[in-house]
Amino acid sequence: MSDLTKAAARHAELVREINHHSRLYYTEDAPQISDHDYDQMMQQLLALELEFPTLQSPESPSQRVGSEPLAEFAQIKHELPMLSLSNGFTDDDIREFDTRLHKEIGLGEATVIEYVAEPKLDGLAVSILYVDGVLEYAATRGDGRVGEDITQNVKTIRSVPLTLPKGAPARLEVRGEVFMRLAGFAELNRVQADNGKKVFVNPRNAAAGSLRQLDSKITADRPLDIFIYSTGVISDSEFAVTHAQTLERLGRLGFPICPLLQVVNDVDGCLEYYHEMGARRPELDYEIDGIVYKVNRLDWQRAAGFIAKAPRWALAHKFPAQEKTTQVNDIDVQVGRTGAITPVARLEPLFVGGVTVSNVTLHNKAEVARLDVRVGDTVIVRRAGDVIPQIVGVNLEARPASAKPYEFPVSCPVCGSDVVTEGDGIIARCSGGLTCGAQVRQGIKHFVSRKAMDIDGMGDKIVDALVEQALVSTVADLYLLSFDQVLALEGFAEKSAQNLLAAIDKSKQTEFARLLYALGIPQVGETTADQLAAHFGTMARLKAAKQEALEALPDIGPVVAKNIVDFFHDPNNLKVISQLQDRGVTYDVVAAPNPDEFAELPLAGEVVVLTGALSAMGRTEAKKRLQALGAKVTGSVSKNTTLVIAGEDAGSKAAKAAELGVRIEGEDYLMRLLA
């Protein structure tokens, strides 16, 4: 028998043993050997593959240690879309969900629907495809239709099987949530801090960042785990008849399934499970932000069907906002790009709602007065999901005797100019204008942002460095930067300097609306910039516009109109605009619309507001397509609004629309409208 034959036999034996013990340890939490013995087997495997490279295969456990860094992530199109879930927040929402399902499935009121309930992990959704029992590829959810190829990174997760036992479907796509347990997260941050690297704000960010590393060796060192919660493509049509049976069979194939899932009956069973998990939440060793309910019978799932973004047969029941108390260490102010003075409470750091919070905005003078928050106060901080943390109250009983009411500054803390107030004294602004360093920095950061001139790679730190080194004092100076100046900045090499200059050069050709928005005219957002661009067409016409002409436009009132007129009468602003033009910045001239043609468009007269997250396309694309059909798309709901499209996690705009009796539709309606 040849050496290669002997090595191949031993290699196959080691692969079986290591995969077996990996499953016992990571999936079933029932290890039978010590870590030392496991490591010894792995070392033998690596030694054999080093001596006989032909033995290495994609399903070998050695492939978990990471491969060479990728240049970039390739894209993978999901054969079946990875949809998101609709949300419920109250017990009544769950009852309505159950009632609606009875109608959609065609069940009598007395029929009990069986649900599978399990914790909603706060991680990153992934799809993993197996072909003939071997892991073929893994992808992120992406936009639901196309995700990023993270195959090599997912292979490093110990609880993910690289091969499946006999009896697995020929093609099997599983979907799950990659997450990081709290103990692993704490240890990772300790190591990051010890090595002088940035720590992660929460386990979800740590998991997502670890999974999207171009170098899978970094991913291999991160304590990632996964729970599988469903299937996608599956070649065996008789794999299971219920969702619970699906998960049970996946567990037998070696996939880790959340041990806390339960099959429950009717709404009462769902709510009982929800409150039980809510009470157990602090004891769990991973973050959850709610409970997911899924109809158990697969034929009933098919009968219920889908809307554009989510299945009708599933719902995420979110936990309420978390509130915790902490102390106010200081109150200071920040100066924005328009000179707005915003007070900020500096807090004793606390972990709430999945993130560490140390700063909370107090918005304006009126909010500070309403809360009467003072340095030294004990305050209640609330945060839910992606909502910005806010102070909701002060514990007056814990207020120290030395605490004094906060006094708003009368001069700018950056440039020393007078602080002036407007809007009944609620809004405070620095009067320094372009002489104020803070306004210059914030204005440049706004100018280069994605929705403005979209200069890729021009981050906040780079802007700060350019201003500090006196290389840039206005946005027009960006277009005078030389290669040597950029190369001299900290962190730049030849390639990165070339890339940044190329991005700056690319931004010279832009859209008129983008340029208007980028200039930072007070209270002129994207929607108003679009409207101004469409109506006036050129910068020259807009400069010459009188206040009365501006006020005649829909949704532009006296305050905004005055801001626009004042902006274009400021010599400093006119000088910057002239310099931008001299340095090659051009825009697409917008042709004045033909009123007769516009009136014939199918959505002429519709005033639409988009709110929440859309899964099929970004809101910017949706807005452009609606406008192309004649609709006016605005950023706020008013009595003139005729339609609100509410995506996932729609908030106050949808609530206001409901109050005003404005028609509210989901993304499925939007897609039909655009079609």
Side-chain angles (χ1 to χ4, degrees):
M1 184 181 294
S2 69
D3 289 344
L4 177 59
T5 303
K6 292 179 181 178
R10 178 55 180 159
H11 183 271
E13 183 182 1
L14 284 169
V15 168
R16 286 193 299 271
E17 290 186 10
I18 291 173
N19 285 338
H20 171 69
H21 288 293
S22 290
R23 176 178 176 180
L24 290 175
Y25 184 90
Y26 292 106
T27 304
E28 300 182 15
D29 196 23
Q32 293 180 346
I33 62 174
S34 67
D35 290 348
H36 174 76
D37 291 341
Y38 181 91
D39 292 339
Q40 289 292 104
M41 285 193 294
M42 182 63 80
Q43 289 304 316
Q44 289 181 45
L45 182 79
L46 293 172
L48 282 173
E49 291 183 352
L50 182 63
E51 185 177 356
F52 302 97
T54 57
L55 295 179
Q56 190 180 88
S57 64
E59 59 268 25
S60 170
S62 66
Q63 298 305 293
R64 297 192 189 278
V65 300
S67 60
E68 290 303 308
L70 301 173
E72 59 183 6
F73 289 110
Q75 291 189 329
I76 290 179
K77 184 176 181 180
H78 300 300
E79 294 186 45
L80 293 176
M82 288 188 72
L83 302 178
S84 56
L85 294 175
S86 300
N87 292 326
F89 298 94
T90 66
D91 291 0
D92 285 343
D93 290 340
I94 311 310
R95 293 189 178 94
E96 290 174 8
F97 167 66
D98 182 74
T99 299
R100 187 171 65 250
L101 276 175
H102 276 80
K103 294 178 181 178
E104 289 167 346
I105 299 173
L107 305 175
E109 292 183 8
T111 304
V112 174
I113 296 180
E114 200 173 62
Y115 294 96
V116 173
E118 63 181 308
K120 182 178 181 296
L121 273 70
D122 199 11
L124 189 74
V126 298
S127 162
I128 310 173
L129 179 70
Y130 292 81
V131 177
D132 295 329
V134 178
L135 195 157
E136 179 82 2
Y137 67 70
T140 62
R141 178 182 179 276
D143 64 2
R145 288 167 171 75
V146 177
E148 293 172 315
D149 185 345
I150 52 169
T151 306
Q152 296 305 319
N153 292 347
V154 165
K155 283 183 175 182
T156 70
I157 302 173
R158 303 288 182 176
S159 48
V160 173
L162 298 177
T163 59
L164 303 180
K166 291 181 179 179
R171 285 176 60 82
L172 173 63
E173 178 196 356
V174 296
R175 293 173 174 183
E177 197 85 0
V178 173
F179 64 99
M180 192 173 290
R181 296 181 187 271
L182 297 179
F185 171 69
E187 176 62 16
L188 172 62
N189 268 350
R190 185 192 66 76
V191 172
Q192 291 286 104
D194 289 348
N195 292 328
K197 297 180 180 178
K198 185 178 179 180
V199 298
F200 294 96
V201 295
N202 57 44
R204 186 197 183 283
N205 285 6
S210 300
L211 202 56
R212 298 189 71 256
Q213 293 289 329
L214 291 176
D215 186 351
S216 60
K217 293 177 182 177
I218 297 176
T219 309
D221 289 335
R222 301 284 173 82
L224 296 176
D225 210 334
I226 190 172
F227 282 151
I228 301 301
Y229 55 70
S230 71
T231 58
V233 174
I234 183 169
S235 59
D236 183 357
S237 60
E238 298 181 355
F239 187 74
V241 296
T242 67
H243 185 68
Q245 186 182 21
T246 299
L247 296 179
E248 189 269 335
R249 286 204 62 184
L250 291 177
R252 292 207 304 267
L253 290 174
F255 293 104
I257 309 298
C258 180
L260 297 176
L261 74 83
Q262 288 183 17
V263 177
V264 300
N265 289 323
D266 218 340
V267 173
D268 291 339
C270 291
L271 296 180
E272 182 179 349
Y273 180 86
Y274 173 83
H275 294 297
E276 177 191 347
M277 286 298 113
R280 293 181 59 181
R281 186 181 182 189
E283 306 167 6
L284 301 179
D285 65 345
Y286 45 81
E287 291 280 349
I288 64 173
D289 57 6
I291 301 299
V292 176
Y293 310 121
K294 297 174 183 174
V295 172
N296 193 22
R297 283 181 52 166
L298 299 184
D299 58 338
W300 285 1
Q301 288 186 8
R302 290 189 288 271
F306 301 83
I307 57 176
K309 65 169 185 173
R312 288 193 175 95
W313 42 265
L315 186 75
H317 190 177
K318 304 298 283 289
F319 286 131
Q322 287 185 284
E323 294 183 351
K324 291 187 178 180
T325 60
T326 190
Q327 190 175 48
V328 178
N329 293 331
D330 196 7
I331 299 175
D332 57 28
V333 295
Q334 293 179 337
V335 184
R337 64 180 174 84
T338 63
I341 305 287
T342 304
V344 177
R346 309 297 181 184
L347 308 177
E348 188 65 29
L350 75 160
F351 194 76
V352 57
V355 299
T356 299
V357 177
S358 55
N359 305 307
V360 173
T361 178
L362 296 171
H363 302 291
N364 51 46
K365 293 176 69 174
E367 181 69 359
V368 176
R370 183 185 72 81
L371 289 169
D372 187 25
V373 61
R374 307 178 183 184
V375 175
D377 273 345
T378 298
V379 294
I380 303 167
V381 178
R382 174 187 297 163
R383 186 182 186 276
D386 294 328
V387 177
I388 297 172
Q390 59 180 320
I391 292 176
V392 295
V394 177
N395 184 349
L396 297 178
E397 294 182 359
R399 171 170 285 170
S402 59
K404 297 179 180 179
Y406 175 70
E407 294 184 8
F408 215 83
V410 295
S411 60
C412 174
V414 176
C415 69
S417 301
D418 290 341
V419 170
V420 297
T421 58
E422 55 187 63
D424 297 328
I426 295 175
I427 301 172
R429 295 188 190 278
C430 164
S431 60
L434 293 178
T435 63
C436 177
Q439 292 185 59
V440 171
R441 292 185 193 213
Q442 295 303 324
I444 295 172
K445 290 173 184 178
H446 171 75
F447 184 85
V448 305
S449 63
R450 182 175 59 84
K451 293 183 179 180
M453 299 300 279
D454 191 21
I455 300 180
D456 188 36
M458 181 71 76
D460 288 357
K461 290 184 178 179
I462 297 173
V463 172
D464 289 338
L466 292 171
V467 174
E468 286 169 6
Q469 297 180 31
L471 296 174
V472 171
S473 60
T474 73
V475 295
D477 292 340
L478 293 169
Y479 297 96
L480 293 179
L481 288 172
S482 68
F483 175 78
D484 290 339
Q485 287 174 327
V486 176
L487 185 62
L489 296 175
E490 183 180 353
F492 274 88
E494 288 192 10
K495 182 63 175 176
S496 54
Q498 290 169 352
N499 289 342
L500 180 59
L501 289 173
I504 294 173
D505 189 64
K506 180 182 177 182
S507 73
K508 288 181 179 179
Q509 180 60 49
T510 187
E511 300 168 3
F512 186 27
R514 273 185 177 269
L515 179 57
L516 284 179
Y517 175 67
L519 290 174
I521 305 169
Q523 293 183 285
V524 173
E526 292 176 84
T527 301
T528 304
D530 283 341
Q531 188 177 8
L532 292 171
H535 185 81
F536 291 99
T538 68
M539 190 74 75
R541 291 184 197 138
L542 181 56
K543 284 181 190 176
K546 304 293 185 184
Q547 181 159 339
E548 296 77 17
L550 291 164
E551 288 184 37
L553 298 177
D555 297 330
I556 294 185
V559 174
V560 177
K562 185 176 185 303
N563 287 341
I564 296 169
V565 171
D566 290 347
F567 182 89
F568 285 109
H569 279 76
D570 186 310
N572 289 325
N573 294 335
L574 294 177
K575 180 180 178 181
V576 169
I577 292 171
S578 177
Q579 289 174 336
L580 286 171
Q581 293 171 336
D582 291 343
R583 292 165 193 177
V585 175
T586 60
Y587 57 86
D588 297 330
V589 175
V590 180
N594 183 321
D596 295 333
E597 292 179 2
F598 188 81
E600 295 176 1
L601 293 174
L603 298 184
E606 293 281 357
V607 181
V608 183
V609 171
L610 299 168
T611 182
L614 303 177
S615 59
M617 68 183 71
R619 276 162 52 178
T620 300
E621 181 186 350
K623 175 181 175 181
K624 289 182 178 179
R625 291 181 63 179
L626 287 167
Q627 289 173 329
L629 293 173
K632 176 184 175 185
V633 183
T634 65
S636 59
V637 178
S638 70
K639 62 181 181 181
N640 297 322
T641 306
T642 60
L643 174 65
V644 169
I645 300 295
E648 184 180 2
D649 293 332
S652 58
K653 292 179 184 178
K656 185 174 181 181
E659 289 177 11
L660 296 175
V662 176
R663 181 182 179 188
I664 304 174
E665 297 286 355
E667 188 177 354
D668 55 339
Y669 178 81
L670 171 67
M671 300 310 295
R672 293 198 301 272
L673 200 63
L674 296 179

Coordinates of all heavy atoms in Angstrom, one line a residue, residues 217-259:
K217 N -9.3 34.6 7.6 CA -8.6 34.2 8.8 C -9.0 35.1 10.0 O -8.9 34.6 11.1 CB -7.1 34.4 8.5 CG -6.6 33.4 7.5 CD -5.1 33.6 7.2 CE -4.6 32.6 6.1 NZ -3.2 32.9 5.7
I218 N -9.4 36.3 9.7 CA -9.9 37.2 10.8 C -11.2 36.6 11.3 O -11.4 36.5 12.5 CB -10.0 38.6 10.3 CG1 -8.7 39.2 9.9 CG2 -10.7 39.5 11.4 CD1 -8.7 40.6 9.3
T219 N -12.1 36.2 10.4 CA -13.4 35.7 10.7 C -13.2 34.4 11.6 O -13.9 34.2 12.6 CB -14.2 35.3 9.5 OG1 -14.3 36.5 8.6 CG2 -15.6 34.9 9.9
A220 N -12.2 33.6 11.2 CA -12.0 32.4 11.9 C -11.6 32.6 13.4 O -11.9 31.7 14.2 CB -10.9 31.6 11.2
D221 N -11.1 33.8 13.7 CA -10.7 34.1 15.1 C -11.8 34.7 15.9 O -11.7 34.9 17.1 CB -9.5 35.0 15.1 CG -8.2 34.3 14.7 OD1 -8.1 33.1 14.8 OD2 -7.3 35.0 14.2
R222 N -13.0 34.9 15.3 CA -14.1 35.5 15.9 C -15.1 34.5 16.4 O -15.3 33.5 15.7 CB -14.8 36.5 15.0 CG -13.9 37.6 14.4 CD -13.6 38.7 15.5 NE -12.6 39.7 15.0 CZ -12.9 40.7 14.2 NH1 -14.1 40.9 13.8 NH2 -11.9 41.6 14.0
P223 N -15.6 34.7 17.6 CA -16.5 33.6 18.2 C -17.9 33.7 17.7 O -18.9 34.0 18.3 CB -16.5 34.0 19.7 CG -16.3 35.5 19.7 CD -15.4 35.8 18.5
L224 N -18.1 33.3 16.4 CA -19.4 33.4 15.7 C -20.2 32.0 15.9 O -19.6 31.0 16.0 CB -19.2 33.6 14.2 CG -18.6 35.0 13.9 CD1 -18.4 35.1 12.4 CD2 -19.5 36.1 14.4
D225 N -21.5 32.2 15.9 CA -22.3 31.0 16.0 C -23.5 31.2 15.1 O -23.7 32.3 14.5 CB -22.8 30.8 17.5 CG -23.0 29.3 17.8 OD1 -23.3 28.5 16.9 OD2 -23.0 29.0 19.0
I226 N -24.3 30.2 15.0 CA -25.5 30.3 14.1 C -26.6 29.4 14.5 O -26.4 28.4 15.1 CB -25.1 29.9 12.6 CG1 -26.2 30.2 11.6 CG2 -24.8 28.4 12.5 CD1 -25.8 30.0 10.2
F227 N -27.9 29.9 14.4 CA -29.1 29.1 14.5 C -29.8 29.1 13.2 O -30.0 30.1 12.6 CB -30.0 29.6 15.6 CG -29.6 29.3 17.0 CD1 -29.9 30.2 18.0 CD2 -28.9 28.2 17.3 CE1 -29.6 29.9 19.3 CE2 -28.5 27.9 18.6 CZ -28.8 28.7 19.6
I228 N -30.1 27.9 12.7 CA -30.9 27.8 11.4 C -32.4 27.9 11.7 O -32.9 27.3 12.7 CB -30.6 26.4 10.7 CG1 -29.1 26.3 10.4 CG2 -31.4 26.3 9.5 CD1 -28.6 27.4 9.5
Y229 N -33.1 28.7 11.0 CA -34.5 28.9 11.3 C -35.5 28.5 10.1 O -36.7 28.5 10.3 CB -34.8 30.3 11.7 CG -34.3 31.4 10.8 CD1 -35.0 31.6 9.5 CD2 -33.3 32.3 11.1 CE1 -34.6 32.6 8.7 CE2 -32.9 33.3 10.2 CZ -33.5 33.4 9.0 OH -33.1 34.4 8.2
S230 N -34.9 28.3 8.9 CA -35.8 27.9 7.8 C -35.0 27.3 6.6 O -33.8 27.3 6.7 CB -36.6 29.1 7.3 OG -35.8 30.0 6.6
T231 N -35.7 26.9 5.6 CA -35.1 26.5 4.3 C -35.5 27.4 3.2 O -36.5 28.2 3.3 CB -35.6 25.1 4.0 OG1 -37.0 25.0 3.8 CG2 -35.1 24.1 5.0
G232 N -34.7 27.4 2.1 CA -35.0 28.1 0.9 C -35.3 27.1 -0.2 O -36.3 26.3 -0.1
V233 N -34.4 26.9 -1.1 CA -34.5 25.9 -2.2 C -34.3 24.5 -1.6 O -33.4 24.3 -0.8 CB -33.5 26.2 -3.3 CG1 -33.5 25.0 -4.3 CG2 -33.7 27.5 -3.9
I234 N -35.2 23.6 -1.9 CA -35.0 22.2 -1.4 C -35.6 21.3 -2.5 O -36.7 21.4 -3.0 CB -35.8 22.1 -0.1 CG1 -35.6 20.6 0.5 CG2 -37.2 22.4 -0.2 CD1 -36.0 20.5 1.9
S235 N -34.7 20.3 -2.9 CA -35.1 19.4 -4.0 C -36.1 18.3 -3.6 O -36.7 17.7 -4.4 CB -33.8 18.8 -4.5 OG -33.2 18.0 -3.5
D236 N -36.2 18.1 -2.3 CA -37.1 17.0 -1.8 C -38.5 17.6 -1.4 O -38.6 18.3 -0.4 CB -36.5 16.4 -0.6 CG -37.4 15.2 0.0 OD1 -38.5 15.0 -0.6 OD2 -36.9 14.5 0.9
S237 N -39.5 17.5 -2.3 CA -40.8 18.1 -2.0 C -41.5 17.5 -0.8 O -42.5 18.0 -0.3 CB -41.7 17.9 -3.3 OG -41.8 16.5 -3.6
E238 N -41.0 16.3 -0.4 CA -41.7 15.6 0.8 C -40.8 15.7 2.0 O -40.9 14.8 2.9 CB -42.0 14.2 0.4 CG -43.0 14.1 -0.8 CD -43.3 12.6 -1.1 OE1 -42.7 11.7 -0.5 OE2 -44.1 12.4 -2.0
F239 N -39.9 16.7 2.1 CA -39.0 16.8 3.2 C -39.7 16.9 4.5 O -39.3 16.3 5.5 CB -38.1 18.0 3.0 CG -37.0 18.2 4.0 CD1 -35.9 17.3 3.9 CD2 -37.0 19.1 4.9 CE1 -34.8 17.5 4.8 CE2 -36.0 19.3 5.9 CZ -34.9 18.4 5.8
A240 N -40.8 17.7 4.5 CA -41.6 17.9 5.8 C -42.9 18.5 5.4 O -43.1 19.0 4.3 CB -40.8 18.9 6.7
V241 N -43.9 18.3 6.4 CA -45.2 18.9 6.1 C -45.5 20.0 7.1 O -46.5 20.7 7.0 CB -46.3 17.8 6.3 CG1 -46.2 16.8 5.2 CG2 -46.3 17.2 7.7
T242 N -44.6 20.2 8.1 CA -44.8 21.3 9.0 C -43.5 22.0 9.2 O -42.4 21.5 8.9 CB -45.3 20.9 10.4 OG1 -44.3 20.1 11.1 CG2 -46.6 20.1 10.3
H243 N -43.5 23.3 9.7 CA -42.3 24.0 9.9 C -41.5 23.4 11.0 O -40.2 23.3 11.0 CB -42.6 25.5 10.3 CG -41.4 26.3 10.4 ND1 -40.6 26.7 9.4 CD2 -40.9 26.9 11.6 CE1 -39.6 27.4 9.8 NE2 -39.7 27.6 11.1
A244 N -42.2 22.9 12.1 CA -41.5 22.2 13.2 C -40.8 21.0 12.7 O -39.6 20.7 13.1 CB -42.4 21.9 14.3
Q245 N -41.4 20.2 11.9 CA -40.8 19.0 11.3 C -39.6 19.3 10.5 O -38.6 18.6 10.5 CB -41.8 18.2 10.5 CG -41.3 16.9 10.0 CD -42.3 16.1 9.2 OE1 -43.2 16.7 8.6 NE2 -42.2 14.8 9.1
T246 N -39.7 20.4 9.7 CA -38.5 20.9 8.9 C -37.3 21.1 9.8 O -36.2 20.6 9.5 CB -38.9 22.2 8.2 OG1 -40.0 22.0 7.3 CG2 -37.7 22.7 7.4
L247 N -37.5 21.9 10.9 CA -36.4 22.2 11.8 C -35.9 20.9 12.5 O -34.7 20.8 12.7 CB -36.8 23.2 12.8 CG -37.2 24.6 12.2 CD1 -37.6 25.6 13.3 CD2 -36.0 25.2 11.4
E248 N -36.8 20.0 12.8 CA -36.4 18.8 13.5 C -35.5 17.9 12.6 O -34.5 17.4 13.0 CB -37.6 18.0 13.9 CG -37.4 16.8 14.8 CD -37.1 15.5 14.0 OE1 -37.7 15.4 12.9 OE2 -36.4 14.6 14.5
R249 N -35.9 17.9 11.3 CA -35.1 17.1 10.3 C -33.7 17.8 10.1 O -32.7 17.1 9.9 CB -35.8 17.0 9.0 CG -37.0 16.0 9.1 CD -37.3 15.4 7.7 NE -36.2 14.7 7.1 CZ -36.2 14.2 5.9 NH1 -37.3 14.3 5.1 NH2 -35.1 13.6 5.4
L250 N -33.7 19.1 10.0 CA -32.5 19.9 9.8 C -31.5 19.6 11.0 O -30.3 19.5 10.8 CB -32.7 21.4 9.7 CG -33.4 21.8 8.4 CD1 -33.7 23.3 8.4 CD2 -32.6 21.5 7.2
G251 N -32.1 19.5 12.2 CA -31.3 19.2 13.4 C -30.7 17.9 13.3 O -29.5 17.7 13.6
R252 N -31.4 16.9 12.7 CA -30.8 15.5 12.6 C -29.7 15.5 11.5 O -28.8 14.7 11.6 CB -31.9 14.5 12.2 CG -32.9 14.3 13.3 CD -33.5 12.9 13.2 NE -34.2 12.7 11.9 CZ -35.4 12.9 11.6 NH1 -36.2 13.4 12.6 NH2 -35.9 12.6 10.4
L253 N -29.8 16.5 10.6 CA -28.7 16.6 9.6 C -27.5 17.3 10.1 O -26.5 17.4 9.4 CB -29.2 17.3 8.3 CG -30.3 16.5 7.5 CD1 -30.8 17.4 6.4 CD2 -29.7 15.3 6.9
G254 N -27.5 17.8 11.3 CA -26.4 18.4 11.9 C -26.4 19.9 12.0 O -25.4 20.6 12.4
F255 N -27.6 20.5 11.7 CA -27.7 22.0 11.8 C -28.1 22.4 13.2 O -29.0 21.8 13.8 CB -28.7 22.5 10.8 CG -28.3 22.3 9.4 CD1 -28.8 21.3 8.6 CD2 -27.3 23.2 8.8 CE1 -28.5 21.2 7.3 CE2 -26.9 23.0 7.5 CZ -27.5 22.0 6.7
P256 N -27.5 23.5 13.7 CA -27.9 24.0 15.1 C -29.2 24.7 15.0 O -29.4 25.6 14.2 CB -26.7 24.9 15.5 CG -26.2 25.3 14.2 CD -26.4 24.2 13.2
I257 N -30.1 24.3 15.8 CA -31.5 24.9 15.9 C -31.6 25.5 17.3 O -31.2 24.9 18.3 CB -32.6 23.8 15.7 CG1 -32.3 23.0 14.4 CG2 -34.0 24.5 15.6 CD1 -32.3 23.8 13.1
C258 N -32.3 26.6 17.4 CA -32.5 27.3 18.7 C -33.2 26.3 19.6 O -34.3 25.9 19.3 CB -33.3 28.6 18.5 SG -33.5 29.4 20.1
P259 N -32.7 26.0 20.8 CA -33.3 25.1 21.7 C -34.5 25.6 22.4 O -35.3 24.9 23.0 CB -32.2 24.8 22.7 CG -31.3 26.0 22.7 CD -31.3 26.5 21.2

